[in-house]
Amino acid sequence: MSSVAAPTAASAVSAATSSVPAGVPAAAASAAMLAAEAASTDEAVAALAAGTWVKLICGASSTDTPRVRNTVLAYTVAGVHCVDVAADGAVIAAAWDGITAGLRVAATAAATAAATAAATVAASTTAVDVAAGQPGDTPQGTRMAAAEAEAEAVTAATAAPLQQRPLLMISVNDDEDPHFRKAVFDPALCPPDCPRPCAVVCPADAIASRATAGGEGGGSWEGVLAPRCYGCGRCEPVCPLGLITTPGYVSPLAAVRALLAGRVGEVGGAGAGARVDAIEIHTRPGHEAAFTALWDELGDTVRSNQRVVAVSLPDHGGEDATRARLAETYAVLAGGSIGGGGGSNGDALAGRWDPQPPRAGAPFGTPPPGRPPLCLIWQTDGRPMSGDLGRGTARASVTLGRRVRAALDDAGLPGYVQLAGGTNAHTATLLGEAAAAATPTTAMAAEASETAPAVGGLAPSRGGWGDAGGDGGGGGGGGGGGGGGGGSGGLAGVAYGGYARKLLAPLLEELEARGVARLEECPDLLDRAVAAATGLLAPVKGESPLALAGRE
């Protein structure tokens, strides 16, 4: 059998969005879709243990549903393991639609590639038969060859490695948190000659940069485009008149509980079948009582419906403080309360979790009958909402992740460590460097604490590489490209937020300029979006998922 070259990612996606060739059975794509859904969350959770987990953060405050939908679509095709969105029914429905569309694109691409390969082989075989005077020279023989090619296409498409459905996660906060706010100002108060520094620094293009039509030579300044704002806070300190504020909010627990229980339609969502697989809780120093109250309200619902719980923590400033906060937080999750036990961490937490190796899967608590144990992720928010700023923010994120990994190991606490807060294209490279370096250098420490704009009033991380000097055991399993897996003493994965969205923003702007709502309806933009998304994920995941579409 002759070898058929695998199509490129771009050609595979283009094929999926153009007219399907006659030789491609629709059943192949449908079967692949069902199989991808049946894979459930197991592949995603396994990626944590392998150290190849990648999450897309759409923004805890972002409610721009068209952009959420199309961003999620592209990253689903690229093979992201989890999509993290606002706890809002309409946003969840948009993300679910993006996931479904992405799986359809990937499945159709796989079916198309398999059918093309089978048809090429069948045509080659028929040509040989005709030349040799074999049965293939008859109409019946030709039909038989075509039928065999179609059957081979179905088998190849359904047997190929499938795209898993990414987990759908919602983010909530226990109290005031910079991720849960939006910029507000009255544009009527802005002087006409203002240079608009707020619009210049906004990474989401959430502040209109030109006047709306309102008469010749004039118009009203649009101000904040609220759905697009995700609360980074960079606009607030640069306003020359101090007009901008960033009021925060706390997730309403009754609405969150309905979302977790699958009742998305009750909270403004219309996505048929949409369901939430995971929850992320943002907490901060001083929020101990609020965190306990939130888990008391949501814990039973989460144990009955979700697979993954993530806790997002900022830099606590030192190893002792980090270790204490992790132990206190875990005590609440495992059924205790913060401050409820005396003595050492081990004494305070004795008997409150399944006593197994810290990175063996991180279940905790007693799940209801028929439910798997919850998987725990510690998200290290190195420098919040700053991934688009550069290499220094990525350095701060890696530093905090390694410190948290070491603190968990020291305290004997379970859980996977996933980086966030400052992650970008430099992250995978820095993880490899961290794994290879036995001793942090002065240059690394200087870069980690380099001067950078404060993010929403939060000073850049002061942890510095030097503070992580004792965490070599936690980060030493780094491994090439994406860092070591949860089972090897390293970091389990990376979450990309602002940087991941920024990569696709120009393409989505072009989509909007064309007046098209769905990314898959513009194959050229879809190809470029998937290529950009794949390029970001590949160093952590190890390979492009679309390469599988053309594999024999």
Side-chain angles (χ1 to χ4, degrees):
M1 182 177 289
S2 61
S3 175
V4 180
T8 64
S11 65
V13 175
S14 292
T17 54
S18 60
S19 57
V20 178
V24 179
S30 298
M33 282 281 291
L34 292 174
E37 177 62 25
S40 180
T41 63
D42 291 343
E43 286 189 48
V45 174
L48 288 165
T52 58
W53 163 276
V54 190
K55 184 176 82 170
L56 168 67
I57 301 174
C58 291
S61 293
S62 177
T63 54
D64 187 350
T65 52
R67 288 208 175 188
V68 167
R69 188 257 184 201
N70 290 320
T71 300
V72 169
L73 186 160
Y75 279 95
T76 295
V77 178
V80 76
H81 296 107
C82 182
V83 172
D84 184 0
V85 301
D88 175 279
V91 176
I92 292 171
W96 189 264
D97 188 43
I99 289 172
T100 302
L103 291 176
R104 188 180 302 115
V105 167
T108 306
T112 301
T116 300
T120 301
V121 171
S124 176
T125 302
T126 301
V128 171
D129 287 346
V130 170
Q134 298 298 317
D137 196 19
T138 67
Q140 181 180 6
T142 301
R143 287 194 297 272
M144 289 177 61
E148 291 173 358
E150 182 172 334
E152 186 173 347
V154 173
T155 300
T158 56
L162 297 167
Q163 187 75 293
Q164 86 281 347
R165 176 178 71 80
L167 304 184
L168 183 55
M169 172 184 283
I170 60 172
S171 279
V172 302
N173 56 328
D174 57 10
D175 207 329
E176 183 177 349
D177 185 280
H179 298 85
F180 297 81
R181 62 183 182 178
K182 286 184 180 289
V184 175
F185 69 92
D186 182 355
L189 300 177
C190 299
D193 59 348
C194 180
R196 320 270 193 228
C198 55
V200 174
V201 301
C202 179
D205 293 326
I207 300 179
S209 59
R210 58 182 180 271
T212 57
E216 184 176 347
S220 60
W221 174 238
E222 292 183 34
V224 178
L225 306 177
R228 196 171 293 178
C229 174
Y230 62 84
C232 74
R234 297 181 204 175
C235 58
E236 188 172 9
V238 301
C239 176
L241 298 181
L243 300 178
I244 302 176
T245 59
T246 52
Y249 62 92
V250 177
S251 308
L253 294 185
V256 171
R257 192 181 300 107
L259 295 173
L260 294 172
R263 304 193 304 274
V264 177
E266 295 180 13
V267 197
R275 62 177 180 272
V276 176
D277 303 295
I279 183 173
E280 179 168 281
I281 304 170
H282 289 252
T283 188
R284 305 183 66 76
H287 289 193
E288 292 81 5
F291 183 85
T292 301
L294 182 146
W295 189 248
D296 285 346
E297 288 286 335
L298 300 180
D300 288 343
T301 302
V302 171
R303 281 186 284 267
S304 297
N305 294 278
Q306 275 61 61
R307 182 70 174 87
V308 174
V309 173
V311 178
S312 182
L313 296 163
D315 192 340
H316 284 72
E319 294 180 9
D320 291 341
T322 298
R323 189 182 305 110
R325 180 58 171 147
L326 290 168
E328 292 169 344
T329 303
Y330 187 77
V332 175
L333 294 173
S337 61
I338 293 178
S344 67
N345 291 336
D347 293 338
L349 301 175
R352 294 181 183 173
W353 75 88
D354 187 359
Q356 59 174 331
R359 293 175 301 281
F364 59 91
T366 303
R371 292 287 304 171
L374 287 168
C375 179
L376 176 60
I377 298 174
W378 301 98
Q379 175 170 286
T380 56
D381 199 6
R383 192 177 294 179
M385 296 175 286
S386 65
D388 60 298
L389 293 178
R391 185 179 174 92
T393 66
R395 180 82 69 189
S397 176
V398 172
T399 297
L400 179 59
R402 297 180 69 216
R403 185 186 307 143
V404 168
R405 178 70 271 165
L408 291 170
D409 292 344
D410 290 346
L413 296 173
Y416 296 108
V417 176
Q418 171 224 277
L419 304 183
T423 53
N424 53 40
H426 299 289
T427 300
T429 300
L430 292 172
L431 284 169
E433 292 176 3
T439 305
T441 67
T442 303
M444 289 178 177
E447 187 168 350
S449 59
E450 67 183 3
T451 301
V455 180
L458 297 176
S461 170
R462 303 299 183 192
W465 197 265
D467 285 353
D471 66 0
S488 64
L491 304 174
V494 180
Y496 294 107
Y499 184 81
R501 302 191 298 271
K502 182 179 179 179
L503 284 178
L504 270 55
L507 302 174
L508 300 185
E509 289 171 3
E510 172 63 22
L511 185 73
E512 293 162 4
R514 296 183 188 181
V516 179
R518 296 175 177 270
L519 182 59
E520 66 271 34
E521 294 176 5
C522 292
D524 60 324
L525 297 181
L526 176 62
D527 285 347
R528 291 162 61 191
V530 171
T534 302
L536 180 62
L537 306 190
V540 179
K541 287 175 61 66
E543 67 176 318
S544 166
L546 276 187
L548 301 176
R551 183 174 296 170
E552 289 191 295

